[in-house]
């Protein structure tokens, strides 16, 4: 699909209809009621004047006016109800149609691409359209109601205005389209400037997140980094304010245009209608009616102009979401399946990170036979972790190839391949979920509790976890539960070991998993690794040769 505004708009309405047709029906009902209510409001003053000048009986007059107000009140309440009700009816579709697919897409991206700055910026721009109720994807649906209501009202008003003369209608149309052209141009300039703030918003989120991370809090306090962070935050905020002011001047131009063209429109209309009334062409009630219609016409067209510009803006924002959804840097899920055990060959593999001229690996060769236990030792920065990421399929070689049972790793179904790997990285980053969910990587209703307990025993965490009030159902960290637990560095390493054991992989890769442990704990951990790697292929990464002798 070519990502034009019109194509995106059609697809969004189609998605909404497929998700919940009732939402579209309620949207259309709100549009109709809005038009009727607005037209009754325009008729009301002229009708009252007409009743007063033509009705002799004051009881009849009162009843007529009360009846008119009753009808208007009924439609007003109906409109308010629909507007209030419908204002939140797009939240769930936004979740189903956009937020969840984007979250799924993030997990489908190749890890080597996901790490890059262009990918992060694309994701940042993609999710901007999904974070708000009245802007972005959901904003498009809100804009649709206002735009269609305004268009129907303008058609109705134009029919009435044409009754007093075609020239006045043409004059109003000319002013209206001039207004639209200026508004569209100024709003496009505003959006172009506003886009420049994306990098600063990203920085703001990072600085704000520091206050929520207890691990960072230690360094901030002990190394007295408060002034440094405050200065950096202030510098970023100052730039953000400057960019906001630069963008806002275009909104000022829009406001000035509204005032000037509105003054011209009203001047022409009032003058023409006064002329008609003074020459007896129209009566007082008709004068009031047409004044009301022209004022409402102006208000509706101003609203239409602003709303179309917002619609375009929201479609442009949502276009970034579509671009992210259509990104082709995804994990290969359609390739060949490699059966375990794995015979792996690195054949003249070289690797360099994007936008870097330095090679991390150059013409690297390795043969890792099925069932073999291999230790890879090297100094820090030698590329050991990069080898792990290449072997696991997270990275793709810049040149050369990796063969798994004779099949190029690029051609292998990555989802199937990942399912047969167990990797314990040196970086510890547990999820703020329950102990059982962290070990099994499954929802609590789906995992095998007996296997979780076995994994805890092999990692010697069973005594600690089972003494907790909620046992394996205890949350780790306090992000999602106030009574979450905080594990020590060694306990976190053991939990990763339990995670690998639960998965029961065909190939186990240990990337300096004891880096955070003392000598005694390290010795115990090696014995546990020896146990879980029995009858498995295993690759052990370390910068100390002594650590590989177990």
């Amino acid at each position: 699909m070519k990502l034009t505004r019109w194509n995106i708009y059609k697809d969004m309405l189609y998605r909404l209809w497929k998700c919940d047709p009732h939402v579209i029906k309620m949207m259309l009902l709100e549009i109709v009621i809005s038009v009727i209510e607005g037209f009754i409001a325009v008729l009301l003053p002229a009708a009252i004047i007409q009743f007063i000048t033509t009705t002799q009986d004051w009881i009849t007059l009162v009843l007529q006016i009360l009846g008119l107000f009753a009808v208007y009140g009924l439609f007003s309440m109906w409109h308010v109800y629909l507007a209030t009700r419908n204002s939140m009816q797009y939240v769930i579709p936004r979740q189903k149609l956009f937020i969840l697919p984007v979250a799924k897409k993030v997990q489908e991206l190749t890890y080597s691409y996901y790490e890059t700055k262009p990918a992060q910026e694309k994701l940042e721009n993609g999710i901007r359209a999904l974070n708000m109720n009245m802007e972005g994807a959901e904003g498009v649906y809100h804009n649709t109601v206002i735009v269609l209501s305004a268009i129907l009202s303008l058609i109705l008003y134009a029919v009435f205005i044409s009754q007093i003369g075609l020239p006045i209608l043409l004059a109003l149309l000319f002013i209206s389209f001039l207004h639209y052209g200026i508004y569209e141009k100024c709003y496009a300039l505003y959006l172009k400037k506003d886009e420049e703030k994306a990098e600063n918003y990203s920085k703001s989120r990072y600085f704000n997140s520091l206050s929520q991370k207890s691990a960072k809090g230690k360094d901030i306090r002990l190394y007295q980094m408060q002034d440094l962070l405050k200065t950096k935050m202030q510098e970023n905020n100052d730039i953000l304010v400057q960019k906001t002011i630069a963008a806002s001047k275009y909104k000022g131009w829009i406001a000035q245009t509204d005032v000037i063209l509105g003054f011209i429109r009203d001047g022409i209309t009032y003058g023409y209608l006064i002329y008609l009334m003074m020459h007896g062409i129209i009566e007082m009630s008709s004068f009031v009616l047409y004044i009301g219609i022209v004022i409402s016409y102006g208000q509706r067209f101003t609203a239409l102009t602003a709303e179309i510009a917002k619609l375009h803006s929201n479609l442009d924002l949502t276009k970034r979401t579509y671009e992210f959804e259509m990104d082709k840097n995804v994990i290969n899920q359609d390739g060949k399946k490699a059966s375990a055990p794995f015979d792996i060959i690195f054949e003249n593999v070289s690797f360099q990170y994007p936008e870097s001229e330095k090679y991390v690996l150059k013409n690297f060769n390795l043969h890792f036979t099925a069932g073999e236990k291999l230790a890879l030792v090297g100094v820090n920065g030698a590329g050991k972790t990069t080898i792990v990421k290449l072997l696991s399929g997270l990275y793709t070689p810049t040149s050369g190839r990796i063969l798994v049972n004779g099949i190029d790793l690029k051609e292998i179904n990555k989802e199937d391949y990942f399912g047969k790997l167990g990797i314990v990285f040196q970086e510890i980053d547990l999820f703020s979920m329950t102990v059982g969910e962290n070990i099994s990587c499954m929802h609590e209703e789906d995992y095998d509790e007996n296997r979780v307990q076995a994994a805890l025993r092999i990692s010697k965490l069973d005594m600690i976890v089972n003494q907790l009030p909620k046992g394996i159902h205890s949350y780790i960290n306090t992000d999602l539960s106030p009574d979450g637990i905080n594990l020590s560095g060694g306990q976190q390493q053991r939990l990763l070991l339990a995670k690998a054991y639960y998965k029961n992989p065909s190939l186990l890769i240990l990337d300096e998993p004891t880096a955070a442990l003392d000598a005694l704990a390290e010795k115990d951990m090696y014995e546990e690794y020896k146990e879980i790697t029995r009858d498995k292929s295993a690759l052990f990464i370390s910068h100390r040769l002594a650590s590989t002798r177990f």
Side-chain angles (χ1 to χ4, degrees):
M1 180 178 74
K2 189 175 181 181
L3 295 181
T4 62
R5 286 173 178 168
W6 177 240
N7 285 342
I8 292 171
Y9 185 62
K10 288 191 297 182
D11 186 69
M12 290 184 69
L13 292 177
Y14 175 75
R15 288 190 187 191
L16 184 60
W17 176 261
K18 295 292 288 184
C19 176
D20 188 353
H22 185 68
V23 172
I24 295 282
K25 294 173 184 177
M26 294 303 293
M27 178 192 293
L28 294 175
L29 180 60
E30 181 184 352
I31 291 168
V32 172
I33 297 303
S34 172
V35 172
I36 294 174
E37 183 217 8
F39 189 66
I40 293 175
V42 171
L43 290 176
L44 202 59
I48 291 174
I49 291 175
Q50 183 70 19
F51 290 158
I52 291 173
T53 55
T54 60
T55 305
Q56 301 297 323
D57 182 18
W58 68 270
I59 295 178
T60 303
L61 175 63
V62 170
L63 291 175
Q64 288 175 331
I65 293 175
L66 288 177
L68 191 60
F69 271 100
V71 173
Y72 176 64
L74 178 64
F75 277 94
S76 294
M77 288 188 293
W78 198 357
H79 181 215
V80 169
Y81 165 74
L82 288 171
T84 304
R85 178 206 173 276
N86 292 358
S87 65
M88 297 306 294
Q89 75 169 349
Y90 310 110
V91 174
I92 293 177
R94 171 165 58 98
Q95 296 274 345
K96 291 182 178 179
L97 300 177
F98 297 101
I99 294 178
L100 292 179
V102 165
K104 183 175 182 290
K105 182 71 176 187
V106 170
Q107 306 308 319
E108 293 174 350
L109 295 177
T110 61
Y111 187 75
S112 56
Y113 173 67
Y114 175 71
E115 281 189 321
T116 64
K117 186 175 181 180
Q120 291 298 315
E121 289 178 348
K122 200 170 187 179
L123 173 59
E124 176 76 22
N125 288 328
I127 62 177
R128 276 190 68 189
L130 309 178
N131 291 334
M132 298 158 284
N133 293 109
M134 302 303 294
E135 295 183 28
E138 190 175 333
V140 169
Y141 299 127
H142 291 288
N143 298 146
T144 297
V145 173
I146 299 174
V147 166
L148 293 181
S149 298
I151 289 174
L152 289 177
S153 295
L154 288 172
I155 293 172
L156 184 62
Y157 297 151
V159 171
F160 275 83
I161 293 172
S162 65
Q163 302 301 311
I164 58 173
L166 190 59
I168 189 68
L169 177 61
L170 294 176
L172 290 176
L173 288 174
F174 174 77
I175 293 172
S176 299
F177 284 111
L178 178 62
H179 184 197
Y180 174 76
I182 295 172
Y183 193 107
E184 183 78 1
K185 181 66 175 177
C186 290
Y187 204 74
L189 292 171
Y190 164 77
L191 291 177
K192 186 176 180 181
K193 278 289 183 183
D194 192 60
E195 287 177 0
E196 297 175 5
K197 298 189 289 185
E199 181 181 356
N200 300 99
Y201 281 129
S202 180
K203 290 180 179 179
S204 292
R205 276 192 291 275
Y206 170 73
F207 289 130
N208 291 334
S209 71
L210 292 179
S211 63
Q212 302 170 14
K213 295 180 179 178
S214 57
K216 294 287 193 299
K218 296 194 296 289
D219 281 350
I220 292 172
R221 288 163 176 78
L222 292 174
Y223 287 93
Q224 299 174 318
M225 297 173 64
Q226 292 90 338
D227 288 341
L228 172 62
L229 293 175
K230 180 181 178 182
T231 301
K232 286 187 172 293
M233 290 176 70
Q234 189 61 54
E235 289 173 351
N236 184 63
N237 288 339
D238 289 344
I239 294 172
L240 194 56
V241 168
Q242 291 169 9
K243 290 181 178 179
T244 301
I245 293 172
S248 296
K249 72 177 182 181
Y250 297 110
K251 283 195 169 182
W253 293 357
I254 291 173
Q256 292 170 16
T257 300
D258 288 345
V259 172
I260 293 170
L261 293 182
F263 180 79
I264 293 172
R265 180 193 63 231
D266 292 345
I268 292 173
T269 304
Y270 274 84
Y272 184 71
L273 290 174
I274 289 171
Y275 171 83
L276 293 178
M277 191 176 70
M278 290 182 65
H279 286 76
I281 299 175
I282 60 173
E283 299 177 350
M284 175 61 72
S285 59
S286 297
F287 175 83
V288 173
L289 172 63
Y290 286 119
I291 284 292
I293 287 175
V294 170
I295 290 174
S296 295
Y297 174 93
Q299 291 172 343
R300 286 286 190 173
F301 202 94
T302 299
L304 176 63
T305 302
E307 213 62 30
I308 288 177
K310 290 178 184 177
L311 177 61
H312 287 173
S313 170
N314 288 329
L315 286 170
D316 290 341
L317 270 176
T318 310
K319 178 181 178 181
R320 299 169 187 170
T321 304
Y322 274 77
E323 288 172 342
F324 183 76
E325 288 182 346
M326 297 171 68
D327 197 301
K328 298 186 184 299
N329 293 286
V330 294
I331 296 169
N332 182 3
Q333 300 184 31
D334 300 319
K336 303 172 183 177
K337 294 184 178 182
S339 301
F342 299 134
D343 185 89
I344 299 171
I345 299 174
F346 279 68
E347 196 174 83
N348 294 319
V349 171
S350 298
F351 179 80
Q352 62 183 153
Y353 287 97
E355 303 177 1
S356 173
E357 297 180 358
K358 182 181 178 181
Y359 279 90
V360 180
L361 293 175
K362 187 71 173 178
N363 297 326
F364 177 76
N365 291 277
L366 174 69
H367 188 188
F368 184 24
T369 60
E372 184 178 12
K373 293 177 176 56
L374 183 68
L376 193 60
V377 181
V379 297
N380 290 332
K384 302 186 299 298
T385 298
T386 301
I387 291 173
V388 173
K389 291 178 179 177
L390 286 164
L391 173 59
S392 64
L394 293 175
Y395 285 175
T396 302
T398 305
S399 63
R401 60 179 184 165
I402 301 172
L403 301 176
V404 180
N405 294 345
I407 307 171
D408 194 324
L409 186 53
K410 293 179 182 177
E411 301 174 5
I412 287 177
N413 183 310
K414 293 300 190 300
E415 286 295 314
D416 179 72
Y417 185 62
F418 291 161
K420 297 169 183 175
L421 301 179
I423 304 178
V424 179
F425 286 105
Q426 57 181 305
E427 303 96 347
I428 303 174
D429 195 6
L430 301 178
F431 292 95
S432 295
M433 300 178 184
T434 66
V435 173
E437 288 170 333
N438 266 278
I439 292 174
S440 66
C441 299
M442 301 170 70
H443 192 272
E444 289 206 333
E445 297 175 356
D446 299 324
Y447 64 70
D448 186 334
E449 291 196 13
N450 292 328
R451 285 180 61 192
V452 170
Q453 291 293 350
L456 288 171
R457 283 194 297 274
I458 200 70
S459 62
K460 297 184 178 178
L461 277 177
D462 53 322
M463 295 290 290
I464 296 171
V465 172
N466 290 328
Q467 286 178 356
L468 297 171
K470 296 182 181 179
I472 61 174
H473 305 293
S474 302
Y475 271 82
I476 294 175
N477 303 326
T478 56
D479 299 302
L480 301 181
S481 176
D483 57 354
I485 60 172
N486 293 310
L487 299 177
S488 68
Q491 290 169 340
Q492 291 183 56
Q493 289 278 11
R494 291 182 179 280
L495 192 69
L496 294 180
L497 172 64
K499 184 177 184 177
Y501 180 85
Y502 183 94
K503 189 175 184 182
N504 191 28
S506 301
L507 171 60
L508 183 63
I509 303 173
L510 309 171
D511 182 14
E512 301 201 46
T514 61
L517 303 182
D518 58 48
L520 290 175
E522 186 179 46
K523 180 178 180 299
D524 290 340
M525 187 71 80
Y526 289 153
E527 293 301 319
E528 291 152 17
Y529 285 142
K530 183 178 180 180
E531 177 64 28
I532 68 170
T533 57
R534 193 185 305 276
D535 302 324
K536 294 182 184 298
S537 299
L539 176 63
F540 188 84
I541 308 291
S542 180
H543 63 275
R544 297 197 305 268
L545 183 61
S547 299
T548 66
R549 293 171 181 164
F550 64 91

